[in-house]
């Protein structure tokens, strides 16, 4: 129900349903938070997005790599790549959440959006050293395409 409400763009009813879930003391995982974060990101509503983040922190629900990717994307859209990296480091220490290929891609994109090409390349190099999932074609193509677009615009 929560996902359906978010898909229709009715975040008000989605929040009401979410609060109902919390009051009923249903076990809350990162999933409902991720659904709300995705909807807020897709509707470009930073106020709701950060409200959900705050709620997640208050309830001490452990995030997953999807949550981190969503957070990094929002910071990237706001051209706050420094905050994106700080959060990734904080969550790695606090939750043991090591950035995967998707998060590394989001971090590279956040750098591009902040016009920080040097840091984007450093992140790309770090990702290439991480493991197979980052070395696969899709990730490399995405970063290289973004780098080419940035160079063309410069």
């Amino acid at each position: 129900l929560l996902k359906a409400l978010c898909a229709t763009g009715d975040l008000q009813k989605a929040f009401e349903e979410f609060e109902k879930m919390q009051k009923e003391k249903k076990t809350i995982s990162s999933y409902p938070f991720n659904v709300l974060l995705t909807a807020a990101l897709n509707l470009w509503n930073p106020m709701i997005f950060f409200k959900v983040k705050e709620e997640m922190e208050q309830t001490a629900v452990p995030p997953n790599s999807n949550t981190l990717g969503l957070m990094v994307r929002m910071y990237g859209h706001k051209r706050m790549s420094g905050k994106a990296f700080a959060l990734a480091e904080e969550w790695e220490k606090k939750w043991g959440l090591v950035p995967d290929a998707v998060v590394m891609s989001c971090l590279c994109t956040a750098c591009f959006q902040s016009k920080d090409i040097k840091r984007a390349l450093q992140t790309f190099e770090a990702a290439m050293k991480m493991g197979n999932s980052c070395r696969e074609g899709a990730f490399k193509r995405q970063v290289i395409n973004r780098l080419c677009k940035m160079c063309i615009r410069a």
Side-chain angles (χ1 to χ4, degrees), residues 72-88:
V72 169
R73 283 179 56 201
M74 177 57 82
Y75 283 128
H77 286 306
K78 293 181 71 62
R79 295 183 180 24
M80 301 168 72
S81 61
K83 282 200 173 207
F85 279 91
L87 183 70

Side-chain angles (χ1 to χ4, degrees), residues 126-142:
M128 291 297 101
K129 294 175 184 172
M130 280 179 55
N132 291 335
S133 62
C134 288
R135 291 189 209 131
E136 290 180 10
F139 173 76
K140 287 169 80 172
R141 273 192 307 277
Q142 180 185 19

Side-chain angles (χ1 to χ4, degrees), residues 43-111:
L43 295 171
W44 184 238
N45 193 327
M47 195 166 87
I48 290 177
F49 188 90
F50 290 111
K51 179 182 174 186
V52 173
K53 177 187 181 277
E54 186 178 302
E55 182 76 25
M56 188 173 191
E57 289 170 348
Q58 288 175 354
T59 56
V61 172
N64 59 26
S65 62
N66 187 34
T67 315
L68 182 56
L70 292 166
M71 295 303 304
V72 169
R73 283 179 56 201
M74 177 57 82
Y75 283 128
H77 286 306
K78 293 181 71 62
R79 295 183 180 24
M80 301 168 72
S81 61
K83 282 200 173 207
F85 279 91
L87 183 70
E89 290 171 15
E90 175 190 330
W91 283 8
E92 186 170 358
K93 290 176 187 167
K94 184 175 181 177
W95 301 103
L97 192 58
V98 178
D100 60 10
V102 173
V103 173
M104 294 302 282
S105 176
C106 292
L107 286 167
C108 284
T109 301
C111 292

Side-chain angles (χ1 to χ4, degrees), residues 20-49:
K20 189 171 137 185
M21 289 170 61
Q22 288 181 309
K23 285 178 185 170
E24 292 173 1
K25 302 215 187 271
K26 291 186 177 180
T27 304
I28 303 270
S29 67
S30 61
Y31 179 76
F33 288 100
N34 289 345
V35 169
L36 290 168
L37 289 169
T38 300
L41 184 64
N42 290 340
L43 295 171
W44 184 238
N45 193 327
M47 195 166 87
I48 290 177
F49 188 90

